[in-house]
Amino acid sequence: MIGRITGTLIEKNPPAVVVDVNGLGYEIDVPMSTFYNLPATNEKVSLFTHLAIREDGHFLYGFGSQDERMAFRQLLKVSGIGARTALSVLSGMSVNELAQAVALQEAGRIIKVPGIGKKTAERLLLELRDKLPKALPGLAAQAAAQPGDDRGDIINALLALGYN
């Protein structure tokens, strides 16, 4: 298992990056949250990784933090959620936002992520309700303690008034 890669960032083509480690270039798919925090090309980078081996290939996914990688792994355990969808979720919302949505069971926040429909969001909330707090205890407790942000209320009010 490849758990972490440290080397020189030589290519940035969203959502993939290439990291050179002693002459060997690793192509790594990253969520956009990690992509935006990467250094410039030809600078040193370190990513936590998840290696997925399937019959059609070996795929390496990279993350800026261990919490992000753990959330990705928990998302993969949800039936119907593959690596691309898990990356999409982490690209559309931070790990803190995901933990808060799961703690408060807010499907509306997850539906906003491209590629996630109502049924998938509800299944994701149901299956992560017990798993995410165990995997990320600090974030889950913090998310449950924080009141929901007002963006959802504001958006719902504007939609009720007929605004898009």
Side-chain angles (χ1 to χ4, degrees):
M1 184 68 144
I2 300 172
R4 186 177 185 147
I5 289 191
T6 301
T8 305
L9 183 63
I10 57 173
E11 281 184 41
K12 291 170 70 172
N13 297 314
V17 298
V18 177
V19 178
D20 181 283
V21 181
N22 295 325
L24 183 62
Y26 290 93
E27 185 175 321
I28 306 168
D29 286 340
V30 297
M32 295 311 290
S33 55
T34 297
F35 188 86
Y36 292 135
N37 292 319
L38 290 173
T41 55
N42 297 320
E43 289 189 25
K44 188 174 181 176
V45 68
S46 186
L47 295 171
F48 294 95
T49 59
H50 174 84
L51 177 64
I53 300 174
R54 300 192 319 238
E55 61 185 47
D56 60 335
H58 295 226
F59 302 94
L60 197 57
Y61 302 97
F63 308 94
S65 70
Q66 289 185 12
D67 286 341
E68 203 170 33
R69 178 176 64 181
M70 187 59 66
F72 176 81
R73 288 177 174 170
Q74 291 303 314
L75 286 166
L76 290 179
K77 293 178 182 178
V78 175
S79 62
I81 302 288
R84 289 282 168 211
T85 305
L87 281 181
S88 181
V89 169
L90 292 175
S91 292
M93 59 192 334
S94 70
V95 177
N96 288 335
E97 291 172 330
L98 176 63
Q100 189 174 12
V102 169
L104 300 174
Q105 292 293 292
E106 293 179 331
R109 292 173 77 175
I110 297 174
I111 290 173
K112 293 177 186 173
V113 174
I116 301 289
K118 183 178 179 183
K119 288 183 180 180
T120 303
E122 290 171 353
R123 183 173 54 245
L124 194 144
L125 289 176
L126 179 67
E127 292 190 33
L128 288 181
R129 184 178 57 212
D130 296 328
K131 295 177 185 174
L132 199 61
K134 290 176 185 173
L136 304 167
L139 284 179
Q142 180 183 14
Q146 290 178 352
D149 64 9
D150 295 334
R151 284 186 286 165
D153 294 336
I154 293 169
I155 290 172
N156 288 334
L158 289 171
L159 288 172
L161 292 171
Y163 293 97
N164 291 336

